[in-house]
Amino acid sequence: MAFTFQARRIRKSFGGVEVLHGVDLDASAGEVLALLGENGAGKSTLVKIMAGDYQADSGRLIVDGETHSVLTPRQARALGVAIISQEFQDALPLTVAENISLGSLPSRGGMVRWRTVRRRAVDILDELEVEIDPGAVVGSLRVGERQLVEIARALSSSARLLILDEPTAALSHHEAEVLFEFIRRLRSQGVAVVYITHRLDEVGLIADKVHVLRDGETALLADVAETGRRDMIEAMIGRKSEELGRPPPIGRDLGAEPALRWTDAGASGRFEGVSLKVMPGEVVAVYGKLGSGAMELAETAFGIRPLDSGRLELDQADIVYSDPAGAVKNGVGYLPADRKAGGALMVRSVAENTAIASWPVLAKFFGQWLTARVENKAYRRWHDRLSIRSRNDPRQIMRTLSGGNQQKVLISRWLERRSRVLVMVEPTRGVDVGARRDIYEALRELAEEGIAVLVVTSDYEEAVQVADRCLVVAKGRPVEKLTGEDITMSRLLEASGG
Ligand code: ADP
Ligand code: MG
């Protein structure tokens, strides 16, 4: 009978929180199963249990008809399970060849047969069509190359079940193609494959069946041939899009002319062909994954990065500034993704953090009388408006606030400065749910007062919750513009390529 690996009713908790709620999974000889799910769905935990790296709290693993309540890594290997984890398991000081034979060094009479080690490595690297020197020390390789060495090791062990946990994340396009070719060959040789990915386009290329996990439960199990991209996305996110809630439609008048406008803009290979405007009174989101060019687009608005094609206008005039100081003078406020690197004075008071961008303005009025009292007043003005949760002491040190409240203080800085345009990159990264809601509310209110707000985010839930309009960018190019109720998680995921 052909090889099967069945996981049944698998439960697993970490620190009292259950992350797998009795999951079943089937892997069969000659079949590639794509395992999908959002971050945190439980994919890695499940396959680690199958490979013996973690132990389930309850449930069974039935390998070729034989039932085990738990497996050790050694037992799993002996049963033919090979796993390529997200975390690398390679030994950096050893050579490529040694790594490939790690855990199964060929020996005779107590002597390691180094020549066999080397030949085995040469053979498998050849078969994988990768040009990596078997004698190179693994620590000197690129991440993608290390990934391939991991794959070579798993393949050299003549596995009956091969598990790959997001293997293409670090691979080039060509390397991924070679890997797929290899997986197809293994499938035809009767190996069972479980393939975890977040790239939906890979599913159609490589998989026979698709299994979607959502919050530790199976949300979809189907043949790939009968499953559309939409089905997979819907299964991954469930009804969350509706639960998240959209902001109310704009009931206010937008300004007549855009506050910010990019026209066919491009910058040093990071993005190109982007046209986007932000009107006074609206919140516009640019959604794109890391490396999509979204962040670089934001940087051009603050004079951090020059355009090398197209135009960027502020209030219908080409921008004249080429540094952040100039941007501030022209009424642009900017919140970078990294609070610490980007302007939060961690060991100074919250009041100073609020007032710093306004010092030139305040000094004009108060001259040498610009004192702590003036700063304190500035801070108090915003403390309630933004629901900053602190000790209500303007002299409290910034560092002692939570991330979300630090972020609110930084927003208050630009409000105090009377910025007419706010550019915010990942405004709620690392911020807890409560503070997140406050920040979204604050941004909406600011828009209602006529400020033009641009939110750049790699978090699609953020785009859904805050934006009136949304531009999706992928690989440096605009791919979709969505408005109002059309800004849903599935539309965003679909547009950005899964
Ligand atoms: P996925 O691979 O689908 O992104 P994981 O299996 O890595 O999801 O994680 C599922 C949940 O279990 C997450 O909430 C994660 O934080 C938690 N988790 C995973 N591994 C551990 C661990 N070693 N200790 C504590 N929590 C963990
Ligand atoms: Mg994972």
Side-chain angles (χ1 to χ4, degrees):
M1 205 185 75
F3 175 80
T4 56
F5 192 118
Q6 301 162 297
R8 287 291 173 269
R9 318 280 319 139
I10 299 292
R11 290 182 180 274
K12 178 71 179 173
S13 299
F14 292 108
V17 179
E18 192 171 87
V19 301
L20 292 176
H21 311 296
V23 176
D24 293 354
L25 182 139
D26 281 55
S28 310
E31 200 174 85
V32 178
L33 178 75
L35 182 56
L36 308 180
E38 287 199 282
N39 274 337
K43 306 179 296 294
S44 295
T45 303
L46 179 58
V47 295
K48 280 178 180 166
I49 287 170
M50 294 168 63
D53 291 337
Y54 287 168
Q55 251 97 68
D57 300 333
S58 67
R60 291 165 295 143
L61 301 170
I62 307 164
V63 188
D64 251 353
E66 199 174 306
T67 300
H68 308 258
S69 55
V70 294
L71 291 174
T72 64
R74 181 186 289 266
Q75 283 171 328
R77 262 200 307 276
L79 291 168
V81 180
I83 184 167
I84 296 160
S85 296
Q86 271 173 308
E87 307 86 29
F88 284 10
Q89 318 215 333
D90 48 0
L92 294 181
L94 301 187
T95 64
V96 169
E98 288 160 352
N99 262 281
I100 288 175
S101 286
L102 208 63
S104 60
L105 281 178
S107 62
R108 185 189 284 162
M111 299 283 285
V112 174
R113 301 175 64 197
W114 292 110
R115 219 184 289 178
T116 310
V117 168
R118 192 177 164 87
R119 207 189 48 239
R120 198 192 259 177
V122 169
D123 286 351
I124 192 127
L125 290 172
D126 264 4
E127 217 172 335
L128 271 173
E129 289 178 39
V130 290
E131 286 180 23
I132 300 176
D133 174 10
V137 169
V138 163
S140 69
L141 302 180
R142 285 189 301 112
V143 177
E145 292 171 326
R146 283 176 58 196
Q147 180 74 281
L148 289 168
V149 172
E150 294 270 286
I151 291 166
R153 174 172 56 219
L155 297 178
S156 78
S157 65
S158 57
R160 294 199 292 166
L161 168 62
L162 177 65
I163 300 169
L164 303 105
D165 196 347
E166 302 201 8
T168 50
L171 298 186
S172 72
H173 184 70
H174 174 71
E175 290 167 337
E177 291 283 306
V178 173
L179 175 65
F180 290 162
E181 209 29 65
F182 210 84
I183 291 175
R184 288 187 195 109
R185 210 177 321 153
L186 289 174
R187 170 173 60 189
S188 67
Q189 290 164 8
V191 174
V193 179
V194 174
Y195 187 89
I196 300 180
T197 184
H198 63 269
R199 300 186 181 170
L200 295 184
D201 41 358
E202 293 183 349
V203 175
L205 286 177
I206 190 76
D208 304 297
K209 289 208 172 117
V210 52
H211 188 146
V212 179
L213 282 184
R214 182 170 74 233
D215 297 333
E217 289 181 74
T218 296
L220 175 72
L221 177 57
D223 284 335
V224 169
E226 289 158 17
T227 312
R229 202 183 174 84
R230 263 283 164 84
D231 303 325
M232 295 187 244
I233 291 173
E234 296 287 328
M236 284 166 65
I237 62 186
R239 299 176 55 81
K240 224 156 95 200
S241 218
E242 290 142 61
E243 286 161 19
L244 279 181
R246 287 272 313 146
I250 311 177
R252 55 194 178 276
D253 291 331
L254 298 181
E257 304 297 342
L260 261 186
R261 169 158 46 191
W262 285 266
T263 309
D264 203 16
S268 51
R270 299 312 184 93
F271 62 86
E272 58 183 329
V274 173
S275 294
L276 177 70
K277 59 184 182 188
V278 189
M279 309 297 285
E282 67 174 346
V283 180
V284 173
V286 177
Y287 165 66
K289 290 185 230 161
L290 216 70
S292 64
M295 179 126 72
E296 288 81 0
L297 180 72
E299 288 173 351
T300 60
F302 201 55
I304 299 172
R305 181 183 291 273
L307 283 187
D308 51 25
S309 61
R311 294 175 73 177
L312 169 55
E313 295 158 280
L314 182 67
D315 296 327
Q316 296 187 281
D318 286 317
I319 64 161
V320 287
Y321 53 83
S322 56
D323 60 6
V328 173
K329 249 192 228 134
N330 281 278
V332 180
Y334 181 75
L335 211 68
D338 182 350
R339 281 189 289 277
K340 276 192 206 106
L345 308 172
M346 287 298 178
V347 298
R348 309 300 287 270
S349 69
V350 287
E352 286 169 290
N353 270 281
T354 294
I356 181 170
S358 308
W359 275 344
V361 181
L362 292 173
K364 228 184 263 168
F365 292 110
F366 297 100
Q368 56 181 303
W369 306 106
L370 174 59
T371 60
R373 263 191 43 209
V374 177
E375 290 175 354
N376 292 357
K377 243 175 96 183
Y379 176 74
R380 287 215 177 86
R381 251 201 305 281
W382 300 110
H383 176 268
D384 295 337
R385 256 307 292 283
L386 297 174
S387 329
I388 298 174
R389 272 175 258 286
S390 64
R391 293 196 306 259
N392 199 6
D393 169 7
R395 293 288 127 187
Q396 185 174 352
I397 298 303
M398 184 75 157
R399 199 181 45 204
T400 63
L401 265 60
S402 71
N405 286 299
Q406 287 174 8
Q407 200 71 310
K408 293 181 198 172
V409 173
L410 294 180
I411 294 172
S412 79
R413 173 185 296 175
W414 300 114
L415 301 181
E416 178 61 21
R417 185 66 179 73
R418 299 199 166 43
S419 305
R420 293 165 300 118
V421 175
L422 274 180
V423 179
M424 326 211 112
V425 184
E426 311 279 3
T428 62
R429 180 191 285 173
V431 165
D432 66 75
V433 179
R436 195 170 286 197
R437 205 172 312 117
D438 289 345
I439 289 173
Y440 294 151
E441 222 160 85
L443 293 181
R444 307 284 320 165
E445 281 181 32
L446 296 171
E448 254 151 54
E449 287 167 23
I451 293 178
V453 180
L454 181 70
V455 172
V456 174
T457 184
S458 59
D459 175 354
Y460 48 71
E461 298 187 14
E462 183 149 286
V464 172
Q465 285 178 90
V466 78
D468 296 312
R469 293 188 301 119
C470 181
L471 171 74
V472 183
V473 292
K475 296 182 183 151
R477 293 186 173 272
V479 292
E480 177 100 276
K481 278 186 176 166
L482 298 170
T483 303
E485 297 302 310
D486 286 343
I487 308 175
T488 62
M489 297 197 347
S490 49
R491 294 289 295 271
L492 292 171
L493 272 173
E494 215 172 322
S496 69

